[in-house]
Amino acid sequence: MKILPVAGAELDRLFVTMAPPLYEGDPNYIRPLDQDVLDVFNPMTNSYHDRGRCTRWLLHDDSGRVIGRIAAFYNLDTFERDEFPTGGCGFFECIDSQEAANILFDTAKAWLQENGIQAMDGPINFGNRERWWGLLVDGFHPPCYCCNYNPPYYQRLFEQYGFQLYFKQFTYRRELAAHISSRVGEKATYALRDAGYTFRHIDPGQLDKAAEDFRTVYNEAWARHEGVSPMSSDNARKLMQTMKPIIDPKIIWFAYYHGRPVGFWVNIPDVNQLIVKYMNGRLALWGKVLFLWNRWRKRCKTMFGIVFGVVPKHQRKGVEAALVMAAAKVMRDRTQLRYEDLQMNWIGDFNPKMMNVARYVGGTIFKTHHTYRYLFDRSKPFERHPIL
């Protein structure tokens, strides 16, 4: 077997086209849009290149057939922020061969070590956590937009190499028509009694305001977590502009206290249902027409929850429940929206508060992803992600 770095348009193309044959015959596989994957590795479309380093490889067998791929990357902030510098690997695809997988992992590890990194998380994204993060180990249902989907044997390839479970990520699901527990209403009353709290969905004509409100809550509620960097105003605007074509304003909600944003619940239509599953990786002109048609006909039945958060100062005051109650009144109105189910993505097992929120709004675990960590110094004691 021979491993080569990805350089040039031809290998760039091979990086995205080598994966689909591995899923032949799998009815739940949805091929991601090629450009969504390639954009991660383009400094013009991914700002993480400004403060990080990234590289990729393809693995060939003796006949020249591509049988595996992997990317490795790290953020320069890790040298100042983390107990020991930690990088990542991701976009892993491989035939069912431990030998092939080991070559890919060894290559990523060696490159990271050369750059002063002492541990490798994977499979993760060179970017925000809501995309391409974690290895699917349970709930092999069709993936939502930009979520990792993989064959079951990948778990064995990671674990037999020596990766250890750092944390689990749960995707909770609930049917929107299902009854909301009275406990939610009881908890919501505490916030609703305080006239300072207001709850509303975004205005599509004020996306810059929505971006800044999002950044405010994100930096207070999420950026304090290990491995999560604060978001700049510029990056928040770019994120909102990226989402603009798929935004449904009535499913993106904010909580305010005397006009200041203190919580958010961000959902999008599942773009995989609207268009991606029909495209075979490439978004052609007819695909854009199909997207608009399906969206106009409200044919997307799944609402995909990207992130939910309340700033620490306003937690335990019923804000989470009140935000859910306010949004649910609109989300369950069939005259306005036609979503049938909600999938709440990326709830870490290190965050019992959010797990409780998902459960008491009626969610049950639908999918489980693992984020692994591999310590280069095998004599070091391994510790799982601390509980928040």
Side-chain angles (χ1 to χ4, degrees), residues 35-188:
Q35 201 59 51
D36 282 339
V37 176
L38 294 175
D39 280 349
V40 174
F41 306 104
N42 183 351
M44 301 299 294
T45 54
N46 183 1
S47 63
Y48 274 71
H49 289 266
D50 297 341
R51 289 286 299 164
R53 303 291 180 267
C54 176
T55 191
R56 292 173 289 159
W57 299 268
L58 290 169
L59 181 65
H60 302 252
D61 65 13
D62 292 340
S63 68
R65 180 173 64 104
V66 180
I67 58 172
R69 76 180 194 190
I70 199 168
F73 33 78
Y74 63 93
N75 191 313
L76 293 172
D77 294 339
T78 187
F79 294 103
E80 302 173 357
R81 179 188 64 209
D82 301 326
E83 178 183 356
F84 44 86
T86 302
C89 67
F91 300 89
F92 172 88
E93 300 283 3
C94 189
I95 61 171
D96 190 358
S97 163
Q98 192 66 52
E99 180 185 6
N102 289 352
I103 292 173
L104 291 164
F105 294 139
D106 282 344
T107 303
K109 172 188 171 185
W111 181 82
L112 289 169
Q113 283 183 305
E114 290 171 2
N115 287 276
I117 300 299
Q118 299 177 21
M120 174 169 64
D121 290 348
I124 65 172
N125 182 29
F126 187 49
N128 294 332
R129 284 186 171 187
E130 78 275 1
R131 291 189 171 199
W132 316 122
W133 205 285
L135 188 79
L136 183 65
V137 299
D138 187 54
F140 289 84
H141 308 289
C144 288
Y145 183 59
C146 292
C147 285
N148 279 343
Y149 180 89
N150 51 264
Y153 68 81
Y154 279 19
Q155 182 176 3
R156 169 170 42 83
L157 298 182
F158 272 81
E159 293 180 358
Q160 289 190 3
Y161 181 76
F163 280 95
Q164 294 171 277
L165 177 63
Y166 189 47
F167 57 78
K168 295 182 181 181
Q169 305 146 233
F170 298 121
T171 297
Y172 285 79
R173 179 184 180 272
R174 68 153 289 148
E175 295 183 2
L176 290 178
H179 177 69
I180 296 179
S181 167
S182 59
R183 290 173 55 216
V184 181
E186 292 169 2
K187 291 189 176 185

Side-chain angles (χ1 to χ4, degrees), residues 218-363:
Y218 180 88
N219 285 347
E220 291 188 40
W222 283 101
R224 62 192 178 89
H225 294 176
E226 180 184 346
V228 181
S229 300
M231 181 177 291
S232 67
S233 293
D234 185 51
N235 284 345
R237 285 194 297 271
K238 287 180 180 178
L239 176 62
M240 197 61 65
Q241 288 301 317
T242 299
M243 293 173 56
K244 184 177 179 178
I246 59 173
I247 281 177
D248 183 340
K250 293 182 179 179
I251 61 175
I252 299 179
W253 282 75
F254 283 88
Y256 297 89
Y257 189 67
H258 294 295
R260 177 178 173 78
V262 297
F264 54 37
W265 186 13
V266 180
N267 304 278
I268 60 172
D270 180 18
V271 181
N272 275 4
Q273 286 188 23
L274 283 173
I275 184 171
V276 176
K277 68 180 182 180
Y278 306 106
M279 292 295 99
N280 194 29
R282 293 196 174 189
L283 185 56
L285 177 60
W286 76 269
K288 296 178 181 179
V289 174
L290 177 65
F291 169 79
L292 294 173
W293 171 258
N294 285 342
R295 184 174 177 180
W296 177 66
R297 296 290 296 171
K298 295 183 171 63
R299 288 182 171 173
C300 178
K301 304 304 181 185
T302 296
M303 194 170 72
F304 182 43
I306 296 177
V307 64
F308 186 111
V310 174
V311 303
K313 185 178 178 180
H314 292 269
Q315 292 174 3
R316 301 182 182 274
K317 295 183 178 181
V319 177
E320 297 94 334
L323 182 57
V324 168
M325 291 291 290
K329 290 179 181 178
V330 174
M331 293 175 180
R332 297 173 68 183
D333 186 347
R334 300 288 288 173
T335 64
Q336 299 188 59
L337 305 171
R338 296 185 183 178
Y339 300 104
E340 295 178 356
D341 74 310
L342 163 67
Q343 292 188 32
M344 293 169 277
N345 183 46
W346 223 120
I347 300 178
D349 66 351
F350 53 83
N351 192 347
K353 293 179 183 177
M354 277 308 306
M355 293 172 66
N356 286 334
V357 169
R359 283 194 291 262
Y360 81 63
V361 300

